[in-house]
Amino acid sequence: MEIKVLRSVLASNERIACENRRMLDDSGTVMVNIMGSPGSGKTALIECTLERLKDVKVAVVEGDIETTLDAERLGRFKVPVVQINTGPLGGQCHLDASHIREALEKLDLKALELVFIENVGNLVCPAEFDTGAHYRVATLSTPEGHDKPLKYPLMFRTADLVVVTKADLAEAAGFSMDMFRENLKKVSSAPAIVTSVRTGEGVTRWVDWIKNSLVVLK
């Protein structure tokens, strides 16, 4: 019974996700789903991206179980931000396609070029649910450890890109970049970009990836 229910839920989610993509395609808007653990640096990555994409019309869908803290951090950039708190909805550990549908309906998509989703902090559930995003980005901070691709393979297997964050803490955290790359190759063919918002390492490469993604879908 549980398997049948899960299949039904995923099938319904997939249908809505496809509808979301059609909405975005009709508006010429690209959506990027950024996923990762709590504290992996998702908000900081979006912040540094907004600082460098001032000529791009961007909105953010901010997902969390409770609070508007991350949305408030992004408020200084004067971009549209739609907050989704899953706490009142049962405390889901992810955003699904129906959550994103509600958010997209609150945005003027024809006036936007790019929508970021900052998914609920989790390396498990967000990987299972298609939101309708064109791209899925998995973030992994060095303090989390280089073994995470092996422990949470679906997150990395389904990602179009993996962004390693907090590279400046790698040595202190005992994070081996070589071991990480070896582990990632065992479960995924996704490329990886190593970044540090604090030092600026890899940020230009990440922003260029975003810009190229916009061009590809135009």
Side-chain angles (χ1 to χ4, degrees), residues 64-108:
D64 242 320
I65 294 177
E66 297 287 354
T67 81
T68 60
L69 295 174
D70 290 342
E72 291 168 18
R73 282 176 58 179
L74 298 176
R76 65 189 175 95
F77 295 99
K78 309 301 181 184
V79 300
V81 180
V82 178
Q83 177 72 52
I84 300 176
N85 287 125
T86 65
L89 306 173
Q92 290 102 318
C93 55
H94 63 276
L95 296 180
D96 61 27
S98 62
H99 294 137
I100 300 306
R101 165 62 63 81
E102 293 181 15
L104 294 179
E105 290 175 347
K106 296 178 181 178
L107 296 169
D108 181 4

Side-chain angles (χ1 to χ4, degrees), residues 154-168:
L154 184 62
M155 171 61 71
F156 297 91
R157 186 180 302 127
T158 60
D160 297 293
L161 177 72
V162 176
V163 177
V164 178
T165 62
K166 306 182 183 181
D168 53 301

